[in-house]
Amino acid sequence: MVTEITISDAERKMLSEAGYGDPAINYYLEKKYMGYIEDADKISQKIGSCGDIMKVYLKIDENHIINDARYEITGCAGAIAAAMVTVDLVKGKTIDEALKINDGDIFKVLENIPEKKHHCIQLAVKTMHKGLKEYKTEKIL
Ligand code: FES
């Protein structure tokens, strides 16, 4: 007998078996902040130690509040999930508050990802911080 399963069911099962927590899987499948912002106030990019690339787009208002962010990513499920969480954590915060967000904060939301994927969290955070720091330098904040 063949059981019909959807692609996302199959992905969910594979990721769960690989050690991804449910929140991490949901963030990865939903990809709610993947893409770009046409009129971004800042665009920045970083290449991870694995060779994968992340590009971040930021919308920042006159009070230095991050109104929106998007990522374009050539990377793994861990990188995508971590980047999506990063956006959720920085949205509505000031640049300086967002610069305090660290890998541990992202990991807490993800609940779990395989240990060999922890550098992917770093890539998401470092890319965000790079964009924010560059914005600060350019605007001399
Ligand atoms: Fe390259 Fe995860 S971002 S392996």
Side-chain angles (χ1 to χ4, degrees):
M1 190 181 96
V2 177
T3 308
E4 289 277 334
I5 54 169
T6 65
I7 290 171
S8 90
D9 282 345
E11 267 186 305
R12 191 172 282 284
K13 187 166 175 288
M14 272 170 47
L15 291 165
S16 173
E17 286 168 0
Y20 288 84
D22 282 339
I25 295 170
N26 292 338
Y27 270 103
Y28 166 66
L29 291 176
E30 203 180 341
K31 296 178 180 63
K32 60 181 174 176
Y33 302 119
M34 274 288 253
Y36 64 94
I37 298 173
E38 216 156 289
D39 58 343
D41 298 307
K42 179 69 204 162
I43 303 170
S44 193
Q45 181 173 303
K46 193 156 178 58
I47 301 174
S49 53
C50 57
D52 287 327
I53 306 165
M54 276 199 196
K55 197 168 181 179
V56 69
Y57 296 77
L58 298 164
K59 276 305 276 179
I60 299 170
D61 74 14
E62 63 281 1
N63 298 315
H64 316 143
I65 307 266
I66 301 159
N67 282 336
D68 206 359
R70 290 286 182 280
Y71 277 93
E72 287 180 325
I73 301 165
T74 64
C76 67
I80 292 169
M84 302 301 100
V85 171
T86 305
V87 176
D88 261 345
L89 294 190
V90 303
K91 262 176 103 166
K93 295 214 166 60
T94 64
I95 294 173
D96 288 336
E97 286 167 346
L99 284 170
K100 290 188 190 126
I101 287 164
N102 61 34
D103 303 1
D105 298 323
I106 308 296
F107 187 77
K108 256 183 239 154
V109 179
L110 292 171
E111 279 184 10
N112 206 12
I113 66 168
E115 201 171 327
K116 61 176 185 279
K117 294 289 170 188
H118 287 190
H119 74 274
C120 314
I121 298 179
Q122 280 174 16
L123 178 59
V125 173
K126 280 183 178 166
T127 306
M128 176 60 71
H129 285 181
K130 182 171 180 264
L132 293 171
K133 283 178 189 163
E134 286 171 0
Y135 179 87
K136 265 184 94 162
T137 306
E138 286 160 18
K139 303 278 172 187
I140 318 175
L141 299 179

